[in-house]
């Protein structure tokens, strides 16, 4: 069982799936689905379609140059069947796949690390440019008022208690005024 590569997008074509196109010069093109086949017939460039492996490799999003890709090349050399050679080949294929995946993951990690630095620099630049949108002018006033009030509270703790005493005195004065008014009204009624 041979798993072919799609000529257009680069994904795998399993047996019994996809389309195979044989050109007049006997060149064979395998396509994983009709989408790839239609794009090929329209003479689209796979390096310009963002969903293909060719675009990802040419844009530097995936690992493009690596010695492990040499093992994937098709070799049309007839070899006599040998069980031991077959077992060694299978283990070697698995090991190569493992190495390739690790290198691919490392490549992606390095890209993301660089992208984070660039994004952080962009964010800092944007914040500095549009600081007026983020920070309201009233925010500074509120902060200043709070600091002034806290300073007064720390300095004049005794003043607060005296204010309370003054409040009690004003309440007494009001009560006395009410009482006096009652007395005046009584005198007025008696006079009348």
């Amino acid at each position: 069982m041979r798993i072919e590569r799609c000529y257009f997008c680069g994904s795998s074509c399993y047996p019994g799936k996809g389309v195979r196109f044989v050109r007049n010069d006997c060149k064979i093109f395998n396509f994983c689905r009709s989408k790839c086949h239609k794009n090929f017939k329209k003479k689209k460039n796979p390096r310009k379609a963002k969903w293909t492996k060719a675009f990802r490799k040419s844009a530097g999003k995936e690992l493009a140059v690596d010695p492990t890709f040499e093992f994937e090349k098709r070799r049309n050399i007839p070899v006599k069947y040998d069980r031991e050679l077959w077992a060694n080949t299978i283990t070697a294929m698995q090991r190569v796949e493992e190495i390739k995946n690790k290198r691919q993951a490392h490549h992606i990690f390095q890209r993301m690390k660089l992208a984070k630095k660039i994004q952080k620099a962009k964010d800092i630049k944007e914040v500095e440019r549009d600081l007026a949108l983020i920070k309201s002018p009233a925010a500074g006033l509120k902060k200043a008022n709070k600091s002034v009030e806290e300073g007064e509270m720390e300095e004049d703790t005794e003043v607060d208690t005296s204010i309370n005493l003054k409040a009690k005195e004003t309440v007494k004065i009001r009560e006395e005024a009410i009482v006096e008014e009652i007395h005046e009204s009584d005198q007025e009624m008696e006079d009348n």
Side-chain angles (χ1 to χ4, degrees), residues 29-76:
F29 300 94
N30 293 300
F31 303 104
C32 59
R33 52 190 184 267
S34 60
K35 178 181 180 181
C36 298
H37 189 209
K38 286 174 187 173
N39 279 300
F40 174 77
K41 287 193 284 187
K42 289 178 186 175
K43 298 184 178 179
K44 297 274 185 185
N45 188 349
R47 282 173 286 177
K48 290 185 180 176
K50 290 193 174 187
W51 49 274
T52 62
K53 291 268 189 193
F55 171 83
R56 292 187 63 79
K57 284 182 179 179
S58 66
K61 293 181 181 295
E62 283 187 11
L63 205 58
V65 180
D66 194 53
T68 57
F69 294 136
E70 293 295 318
F71 293 106
E72 286 185 9
K73 286 188 178 175
R74 190 169 174 173
R75 294 168 185 82
N76 292 327

Side-chain angles (χ1 to χ4, degrees), residues 75-87:
R75 294 168 185 82
N76 292 327
I77 301 165
V79 179
K80 189 176 180 182
Y81 177 77
D82 182 13
R83 189 173 190 171
E84 189 177 328
L85 176 67
W86 181 257

Side-chain angles (χ1 to χ4, degrees), residues 127 130-141 143:
V127 167
D130 300 330
L131 192 61
L133 297 174
I134 299 167
K135 184 180 174 185
S136 79
L141 295 174
K143 205 172 197 180

Side-chain angles (χ1 to χ4, degrees), residues 19-184:
V19 180
R20 175 171 284 176
F21 172 66
V22 182
R23 207 163 52 187
N24 285 342
D25 61 351
C26 296
K27 181 159 173 41
I28 299 169
F29 300 94
N30 293 300
F31 303 104
C32 59
R33 52 190 184 267
S34 60
K35 178 181 180 181
C36 298
H37 189 209
K38 286 174 187 173
N39 279 300
F40 174 77
K41 287 193 284 187
K42 289 178 186 175
K43 298 184 178 179
K44 297 274 185 185
N45 188 349
R47 282 173 286 177
K48 290 185 180 176
K50 290 193 174 187
W51 49 274
T52 62
K53 291 268 189 193
F55 171 83
R56 292 187 63 79
K57 284 182 179 179
S58 66
K61 293 181 181 295
E62 283 187 11
L63 205 58
V65 180
D66 194 53
T68 57
F69 294 136
E70 293 295 318
F71 293 106
E72 286 185 9
K73 286 188 178 175
R74 190 169 174 173
R75 294 168 185 82
N76 292 327
I77 301 165
V79 179
K80 189 176 180 182
Y81 177 77
D82 182 13
R83 189 173 190 171
E84 189 177 328
L85 176 67
W86 181 257
N88 291 340
T89 305
I90 295 294
T91 54
M93 285 168 64
Q94 290 170 346
R95 182 73 182 126
V96 165
E97 188 69 25
E98 193 178 303
I99 291 168
K100 188 173 78 170
N101 288 340
K102 280 184 182 177
R103 287 181 180 171
Q104 184 72 26
H106 183 260
H107 176 73
I108 290 169
F109 180 75
Q110 293 299 323
R111 274 184 52 233
M112 293 301 153
K113 192 190 281 187
L114 183 65
K116 282 182 185 176
K117 286 181 184 177
I118 292 169
Q119 186 62 38
K120 190 173 182 181
K122 280 183 182 178
D123 291 343
I124 289 169
K125 189 176 181 181
E126 185 178 359
V127 167
E128 288 173 352
R129 187 185 69 212
D130 300 330
L131 192 61
L133 297 174
I134 299 167
K135 184 180 174 185
S136 79
L141 295 174
K142 286 180 183 177
K143 205 172 197 180
N145 288 340
K146 284 182 182 178
S147 62
V148 168
E149 287 176 7
E150 288 174 2
E152 289 176 0
M153 295 289 277
E154 290 172 1
E155 293 172 3
D156 303 324
T157 53
E158 295 176 10
V159 175
D160 290 340
T161 56
S162 64
I163 290 171
N164 291 338
L165 291 174
K166 287 182 181 177
K168 289 179 182 176
E169 289 173 6
T170 54
V171 169
K172 287 180 182 176
I173 293 168
R174 286 181 191 159
E175 288 174 1
E176 289 173 6
I178 292 168
V179 172
E180 287 175 7
E181 287 177 9
I182 292 169
H183 292 295
E184 288 174 6

